[in-house]
């Protein structure tokens, strides 16, 4: 049982970068409601986008490649989703803020 638990914990730790990116993106979206009160996204809605990104991202045999695929797909899909609801004058601001958070 302890070996199985150890393997599970190692697998969880391997996917930590995905959770980190999701956290950055979610809190950016939450913070963006300061720009305009209409820009509010619930955690439940974000979780749906997050889970959908994991399901739809390209599969890979190597975990590191799979993790990169999830991160890239999730970031892009959530970016597109949020961009649809923004005023034109705020789209560039959001893109810049997202880039700054990621870097």
């Amino acid at each position: 049982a302890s070996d199985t638990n150890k393997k599970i914990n190692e697998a969880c730790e391997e996917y930590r970068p995905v959770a980190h990116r999701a956290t950055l993106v979610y809190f950016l979206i939450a913070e963006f409601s300061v720009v305009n009160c209409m820009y509010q996204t619930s955690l439940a809605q974000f979780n749906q986008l997050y889970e959908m990104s994991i399901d739809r991202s390209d599969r890979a045999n190597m975990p590191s490649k799979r993790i990169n695929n999830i991160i890239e797909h999730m970031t892009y899909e959530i970016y597109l989703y949020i961009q649809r609801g923004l005023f034109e004058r705020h789209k560039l601001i959001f893109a810049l803020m997202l880039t700054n958070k990621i870097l």
Side-chain angles (χ1 to χ4, degrees):
S2 66
D3 288 340
T4 304
N5 197 18
K6 196 176 201 179
K7 288 179 184 177
I8 291 171
N9 286 337
E10 287 173 6
C12 284
E13 286 301 316
E14 222 173 354
Y15 282 85
R16 188 168 296 278
V18 175
H20 180 70
R21 175 63 61 89
T23 303
L24 286 177
V25 173
Y26 175 74
F27 284 111
L28 169 65
I29 294 167
E31 187 179 306
F32 207 68
S33 68
V34 172
V35 173
N36 190 317
C37 63
M38 290 180 7
Y39 302 149
Q40 295 183 14
T41 302
S42 70
L43 182 58
Q45 183 182 23
F46 184 83
N47 278 339
Q48 270 187 325
L49 294 169
Y50 176 73
E51 290 172 7
M52 189 171 51
S53 295
I54 291 172
D55 292 340
R56 292 183 179 175
S57 63
D58 293 335
R59 306 278 186 238
N61 291 332
M62 292 178 51
S64 61
K65 181 66 176 156
R66 173 75 174 138
I67 290 165
N68 274 347
N69 290 346
I70 293 171
I71 289 173
E72 288 178 16
H73 189 269
M74 175 184 59
T75 304
Y76 185 66
E77 286 299 316
I78 292 173
Y79 168 78
L80 290 178
Y81 182 84
I82 296 300
Q83 283 282 329
R84 282 193 321 219
L86 300 179
F87 291 123
E88 284 298 319
R89 65 180 180 261
H90 295 145
K91 288 182 178 185
L92 189 58
I93 295 169
F94 181 76
L96 178 65
M97 289 177 71
L98 180 61
T99 303
N100 285 336
K101 288 279 187 187
I102 290 171
L103 298 177

